[in-house]
Amino acid sequence: EAGVTQFPSHSVIEKGQTVTLRCDPISGHDNLYWYRRVMGKEIKFLLHFVKESKQDESGMPNNRFLAERTGGTYSTLKVQPAELEDSGVYFCASSQPGAQPQHFGDGTRLSIL
Amino acid sequence: GENVEQHPSTLSVQEGDSAVIKCTYSDSASNYFPWYKQELGKGPQLIIDIRSNVGEKKDQRIAVTLNKTAKHFSLHITETQPEDSAVYFCAEGGSNYKLTFGKGTLLTVNP
């Protein structure tokens, strides 16, 4: 069974540019989550999809971040425009319907210059 | 809001010794407590989890204990090996599924 996959593994962009991260969850996992870890801090929750619906987006930092999961399969997280404080590692996780545990991808390391 | 404190932030042990990492949480509604291991360049990998109706769970060299009254839970690794070296994260979750993580513990097992 393939795990959670994330693209790209690294992204380096300049402040003000746009970046889109992609996450492919484990097949059959209705729940999809985004988290991020900025340097020196803990891993923090951003949002939770159940299929294509946003169940909880309480962790999204501001309206420069847009997450989508059209069709309830893969998800994208777009940052527009990127700011310096957006640098960090963005993790995606997925879990089976109505259940824990969450399985994590290897993350996208985002660097804003 | 939810808060998870994790200690120690770094831990160095000799191969074969035991390692213990402790976490405390604040949300009384928390009912799910996973532990993740993160190796360099990889994502967090679940190593063990426990639910609030259980006080202890063991899987080979790894065990987790939970004290709901005191709101703390601990990870115990026995007979440590160099490949156990990694960053370990505790987390807590409730009915809304989102996980709140501790800041992590860098465990180094010296051969």
Side-chain angles (χ1 to χ4, degrees):
Chain A
E1 177 185 79
V4 177
T5 53
Q6 294 187 245
F7 305 96
S9 57
H10 294 84
S11 182
V12 181
I13 63 170
E14 292 187 350
K15 175 183 170 181
Q17 290 186 321
T18 298
V19 62
T20 301
L21 314 181
R22 173 171 168 147
C23 169
D24 286 72
I26 294 171
S27 178
H29 282 195
D30 286 351
N31 292 295
L32 187 149
Y33 314 83
W34 285 98
Y35 293 83
R36 76 171 177 179
R37 188 181 190 202
V38 298
M39 196 185 316
K41 304 277 189 178
E42 63 271 30
I43 300 169
K44 282 203 167 181
F45 169 84
L46 296 179
L47 88 161
H48 169 206
F49 283 100
V50 177
K51 297 185 180 179
E52 67 276 8
S53 298
K54 291 177 185 175
Q55 185 76 12
D56 181 354
E57 51 185 327
S58 61
M60 294 289 265
N62 52 62
N63 59 9
R64 295 186 294 103
F65 289 75
L66 176 64
E68 294 181 319
R69 194 183 181 195
T70 307
T73 54
Y74 71 91
S75 175
T76 58
L77 180 65
K78 182 163 71 173
V79 185
Q80 179 183 31
E83 298 290 343
L84 297 177
E85 64 264 24
D86 301 332
S87 294
V89 182
Y90 289 75
F91 292 106
C92 176
S94 70
S95 68
Q96 290 184 339
Q100 301 276 16
Q102 297 177 26
H103 302 272
F104 281 74
D106 286 339
T108 293
R109 183 172 295 277
L110 179 61
S111 297
I112 313 299
L113 305 180
Chain B
E2 303 92 350
N3 185 46
V4 177
E5 296 288 333
Q6 182 172 346
H7 298 280
S9 56
T10 61
L11 179 60
S12 182
V13 300
Q14 288 299 122
E15 183 176 359
D17 287 351
S18 294
V20 180
I21 303 170
K22 299 182 178 182
C23 289
T24 59
Y25 62 98
S26 58
D27 189 353
S28 300
S30 299
N31 58 15
Y32 176 67
F33 306 91
W35 285 90
Y36 286 87
K37 174 185 180 183
Q38 186 179 14
E39 296 175 322
L40 197 62
K42 299 287 187 180
Q45 299 298 308
L46 180 76
I47 55 171
I48 195 167
D49 57 6
I50 192 168
R51 298 180 189 276
S52 59
N53 57 346
V54 175
E56 183 174 357
K57 184 176 178 181
K58 190 173 181 180
D59 182 4
Q60 298 183 332
R61 299 185 295 108
I62 295 172
V64 57
T65 58
L66 171 65
N67 183 328
K68 280 220 79 179
T69 304
K71 294 196 183 72
H72 64 71
F73 56 113
S74 301
L75 177 71
H76 304 252
I77 305 174
T78 58
E79 300 171 32
T80 54
Q81 301 166 3
E83 52 265 38
D84 294 330
S85 297
V87 179
Y88 290 80
F89 292 96
C90 64
E92 61 86 14
S95 59
N96 62 2
Y97 292 102
K98 77 176 188 182
L99 297 178
T100 300
F101 283 84
K103 286 191 173 181
T105 297
L106 175 61
L107 173 65
T108 303
V109 180
N110 302 300

